Amino acid sequence: MAAPAYPAWVTRWVSGQWRNKKRPPALRPPRTLALADKVANRREQSTEATCITEMSVMMACWKQNDFNDAPCAEEIRTFYDCVAKAEKERKNQNEDTLSSRGNLPSSKVNKLLKRFPQITHYV
């Protein structure tokens, strides 16, 4: 198997020869690379609305029956069951778990940063 053929500039760049045989400038950060002590408190994006279909069916039933609850008892019960189920699922989600995007909430990140502070100097 033959080695791949690279352009001449790639070879010079890899070997450190760059612009009249000078190395490219070293990048130096203006500050030490360390994590901050805390992150900004960001509002968590709300999840999608739940039970929209059940609520629409219930309101359509109310409109057909001049906003009388008696004929729409089944639709109302279905809507309340859906709301109770959604609340139960929301409470079961633990704060320690990652969100659907895979990110920790800012409150959890701040707790971890307090627990494991950055060492900025050595004794």
Side-chain angles (χ1 to χ4, degrees):
M1 189 155 111
Y6 295 110
W9 68 269
V10 173
T11 308
R12 284 193 311 271
W13 185 67
V14 170
S15 67
Q17 300 171 359
W18 188 256
R19 294 189 197 173
N20 300 329
K21 298 185 179 185
K22 292 182 182 176
R23 289 182 163 262
L27 298 176
R28 292 184 184 94
R31 292 184 295 258
T32 58
L33 298 177
L35 293 176
D37 294 334
K38 62 181 178 177
V39 296
N41 286 328
R42 302 263 176 177
R43 204 178 282 192
E44 297 298 318
Q45 290 185 356
S46 60
T47 58
E48 70 276 352
T50 56
C51 306
I52 295 295
T53 307
E54 291 82 357
M55 183 171 59
S56 299
V57 170
M58 178 182 71
M59 289 184 171
C61 180
W62 275 343
K63 189 173 182 180
Q64 287 175 350
N65 295 302
D66 295 326
F67 299 97
N68 189 0
D69 284 348
C72 301
E74 181 65 27
E75 287 82 0
I76 293 171
R77 187 188 58 75
T78 305
F79 173 68
Y80 281 128
D81 289 346
C82 179
V83 169
K85 180 180 167 187
E87 274 296 311
K88 185 177 178 184
E89 288 177 5
R90 188 184 63 79
K91 285 184 180 180
N92 283 341
Q93 285 183 341
N94 193 357
E95 186 180 294
D96 293 340
T97 61
L98 297 176
S99 68
S100 61
R101 295 177 301 169
N103 298 332
L104 287 172
S106 59
S107 58
K108 185 65 178 173
V109 172
N110 284 332
K111 285 179 187 176
L112 288 171
L113 287 172
K114 278 185 182 177
R115 191 171 169 197
F116 302 103
Q118 296 296 307
I119 300 173
T120 56
H121 63 281
Y122 296 97
V123 178

